[in-house]
């Protein structure tokens, strides 16, 4: 039995590809003005999405696309956190 479910699509700020939300990492600028990783997709605020790939994150960083999207500067901590997350994702896939 084929069941049709609507998969929410979001655009990666790195490669600008539409992907299912669960394939992407969500970053959120909270109403308190903090930038957070949002693995569960539950934090409210302005969000931006990137693929679970370092190349996309690097592209997004280079073009300052995350900053523009979130209207917030990226701190070293957040960048380190995302990089660490993506590195652990790489381990899973290779
Ligand atoms: Zn991407």
């Amino acid at each position: 039995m084929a069941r049709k479910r609507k998969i929410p699509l979001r655009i990666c700020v790195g490669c600008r590809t539409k992907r299912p939300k669960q394939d992407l990492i969500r970053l959120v600028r909270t109403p308190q003005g903090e930038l957070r990783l949002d693995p569960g997709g539950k934090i409210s605020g302005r969000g931006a999405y990137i693929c679970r790939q370092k190349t996309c994150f690097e592209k997004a960083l280079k073009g300052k696309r995350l900053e523009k999207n979130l209207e917030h500067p990226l701190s070293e901590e957040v960048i380190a956190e995302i990089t660490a997350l993506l590195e652990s994702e790489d381990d899973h896939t290779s």
Side-chain angles (χ1 to χ4, degrees), residues 2-80:
R3 268 197 300 166
K4 272 190 186 170
R5 268 203 299 159
K6 263 201 180 169
I7 300 165
L9 296 175
R10 294 293 182 272
I11 295 172
C12 163
V13 292
C15 61
R16 312 253 163 150
T17 305
K18 263 192 199 170
R19 286 173 172 275
K21 215 175 151 187
Q22 67 263 32
D23 289 354
L24 300 160
I25 293 168
R26 184 171 187 245
L27 278 166
V28 182
R29 189 193 68 187
T30 67
Q32 289 78 37
E34 287 175 288
L35 214 61
R36 305 257 305 266
L37 267 173
D38 181 18
K42 296 218 163 61
I43 302 171
S44 66
R46 190 187 174 89
Y49 295 83
I50 45 165
C51 301
R52 296 172 182 275
Q53 284 170 21
K54 260 199 266 177
T55 48
C56 286
F57 182 49
E58 279 159 12
K59 265 188 219 168
L61 273 184
K62 248 188 204 165
K64 298 208 180 292
R65 290 184 196 156
L66 279 169
E67 268 123 323
K68 275 179 203 158
N69 241 276
L70 295 163
E71 294 170 356
H72 194 281
L74 288 175
S75 69
E76 294 290 323
E77 288 90 46
V78 171
I79 292 170

